[in-house]
Amino acid sequence: EVHLVESGGGAVQPGGSLRLSCAASGFIFSRYAMAWARQAPGKALEWVSGINSGGDRTYYRDSVKGRFTISRDNAKNTLYLQLNSLKTEDTAMYYCAKGGISEYDAVDYNTRGQGTQVTVSS
C-alpha cells in the first residue's frame, strides 16, 4: 500500500523560504515519477511540480518556475520541494503524490498523504 507523509510546512512572511519533505513507503520509490500538488481554500487541487524517477528531469507550473525546486533522494525514499521567494498566493495545503513509471503518465492523486500547510502572510 502506498503511504506518503508530507512535512516541513509552516507560516512565513512573503519572500521567505521553506523546504517540504515527503517520506514514501509501500512501493519501489526509485521506479516512479513523483509530483507535488497544492490546494488553496475554496480552490481545486493543482499540480505544482513533477520529477522523473531518476531525478534528472523536473517540471514546474509557470507560477512557481525559478522559485521552487523539486528533488528526490532515492536512497532515502524521500521527495523534496524547496520553496523560495514565497508569495501570499502560494498559501495552500501541499501534497506529494505518486506518478507512473514514466513522468508522462498521469499522477495518481489518490495516493497523496495528509498534506503540509504552507501559509505566507505578512
Side-chain angles (χ1 to χ4, degrees), residues 78-91:
T78 304
L79 178 72
Y80 302 99
L81 187 67
Q82 178 69 42
L83 288 64
N84 295 331
S85 302
L86 281 161
K87 303 177 180 180
T88 55
E89 54 262 42
D90 294 318
T91 295

Side-chain angles (χ1 to χ4, degrees), residues 8-83:
V12 297
Q13 293 185 337
S17 297
L18 287 170
R19 190 192 195 201
L20 309 184
S21 296
C22 169
S25 61
F27 65 105
I28 302 175
F29 180 74
S30 61
R31 291 187 180 178
Y32 291 87
M34 295 291 294
W36 286 96
R38 66 186 180 186
Q39 187 168 26
K43 295 188 177 181
L45 185 69
E46 66 178 18
W47 174 86
V48 173
S49 180
I51 188 168
N52 71 324
S53 59
D56 59 325
R57 291 190 296 275
T58 58
Y59 307 87
Y60 302 93
R61 67 182 302 109
D62 286 347
S63 61
V64 308
K65 282 181 182 177
R67 300 189 299 119
F68 291 8
T69 303
I70 190 172
S71 61
R72 64 191 297 162
D73 185 335
N74 285 344
K76 295 183 178 179
N77 288 353
T78 304
L79 178 72
Y80 302 99
L81 187 67
Q82 178 69 42
L83 288 64

